[in-house]
Amino acid sequence: MQWSEIFDAVASRLNSDFAVGDPVAGRWLLAGIVIAAASILIVPLWRLVRPAVTLVHELGHAAVGVLSGRRFTGFVISPDMSGHTTTVGRTSGPGMVLTAAAGYPMPAIIGAGAIQAALAGRAGVVLLLILITLVVALFHARSLFTGGSLVLLIGLDGYLWWAGDRPWAAASVVWLGAVLLIGAWRHLAAVAFHGDRSQDPGLLASATRVPTAVWNLGFMLILAACTWWAWRVLEIPFGLAVEALLGGR
């Protein structure tokens, strides 16, 4: 294949991303949600998908930090699935607080948004934005494990994006959205129950003198709002998919 043909194929694929495709529905929608729930609840599967939640958590710190006027210098995801993001700027003030507070809500926000997009026929746009974000993030990786994880995710997402408007590609966006949303609850529950003051809520409490419990409650309210948003989007197509499945038996 010549370079001109490659460029034409990429251009055609990019053009199709901005056309509204078929929303994910029926058995593909059910498959995305059921597999996502299994990915969170079954421990071996959770260990495989947890890096995605941690990655969005850390990039949430980075994105809000940059928007708050801070400089993003790098991040690390460890093999135990913990992570750390470094931004440079003032050590106090609203920018620092917003940056520290962004981590736990971000997977739920992105997850609900991904579900909304997939059900609106915009799964291709989501996959393209993820691809761009991962490539940019790769230049800020500060460990071999982080870089290797990003390269793997770039390959997987690139394959799904190139697959175009096939229903299983759109279903993967629903799966990812549900994993991020449910995974956000699991991450927050872990930090809230363990009470580790080295985690974001404890650091925020030390920086603002607002109790850790209040920060955890605030995060819970944001996650609850995202869950409500996702359910409002899913309620009707999910019900129709279940009816169709049961009616086909």
Side-chain angles (χ1 to χ4, degrees):
M1 180 179 289
Q2 297 181 352
W3 283 109
S4 60
E5 294 176 335
I6 295 175
F7 289 141
D8 288 342
V10 172
S12 175
R13 184 67 198 90
L14 288 171
N15 287 332
S16 68
D17 283 336
F18 296 98
V20 178
D22 294 329
V24 60
R27 295 189 179 187
W28 286 110
L29 175 61
L30 291 178
I33 296 172
V34 170
I35 296 173
S39 299
I40 298 296
L41 298 175
I42 299 174
V43 174
L45 294 179
W46 169 241
R47 289 173 180 165
L48 290 175
V49 303
R50 184 180 173 186
V53 184
T54 303
L55 176 63
V56 175
H57 176 114
E58 299 304 329
L59 293 181
H61 286 308
V64 174
V66 171
L67 292 175
S68 300
R70 300 175 67 82
R71 183 164 58 89
F72 175 38
T73 59
F75 76 106
V76 170
I77 296 176
S78 302
D80 64 359
M81 296 310 120
S82 62
H84 177 72
T85 297
T86 303
T87 60
V88 177
R90 292 183 57 186
T91 57
S92 62
M96 186 279 293
V97 173
L98 288 172
T99 300
Y104 282 99
M106 194 59 67
I109 295 170
I110 298 300
I115 292 172
Q116 169 83 66
L119 290 172
R122 297 289 187 178
V125 175
V126 175
L127 292 170
L128 177 60
L129 290 175
I130 291 173
L131 185 60
I132 294 171
T133 301
L134 292 174
V135 171
V136 173
L138 182 61
F139 290 96
H140 293 83
R142 293 296 178 263
S143 74
L144 288 176
F145 182 83
T146 306
S149 298
L150 286 170
V151 169
L152 176 61
L153 291 173
I154 288 170
L156 290 173
D157 182 76
Y159 174 76
L160 291 170
W161 172 69
W162 193 255
D165 57 358
R166 296 179 184 178
W168 48 266
S172 71
V173 175
V174 173
W175 170 84
L176 176 62
V179 164
L180 292 176
L181 182 56
I182 304 172
W185 280 106
R186 181 160 180 166
H187 270 200
L188 182 58
V191 73
F193 289 138
H194 291 165
D196 186 352
R197 294 192 63 82
S198 67
Q199 299 298 321
D200 295 345
L203 296 175
L204 285 164
S206 299
T208 63
R209 298 184 180 179
V210 175
T212 301
V214 175
W215 283 108
N216 285 330
L217 177 60
F219 292 151
M220 289 176 62
L221 291 176
I222 296 174
L223 266 58
C226 291
T227 303
W228 176 83
W229 170 22
W231 175 245
R232 291 290 293 175
V233 172
L234 282 169
E235 184 177 8
I236 294 177
F238 181 78
L240 292 174
V242 171
E243 285 184 15
L245 180 63
L246 295 177
R249 291 182 176 180

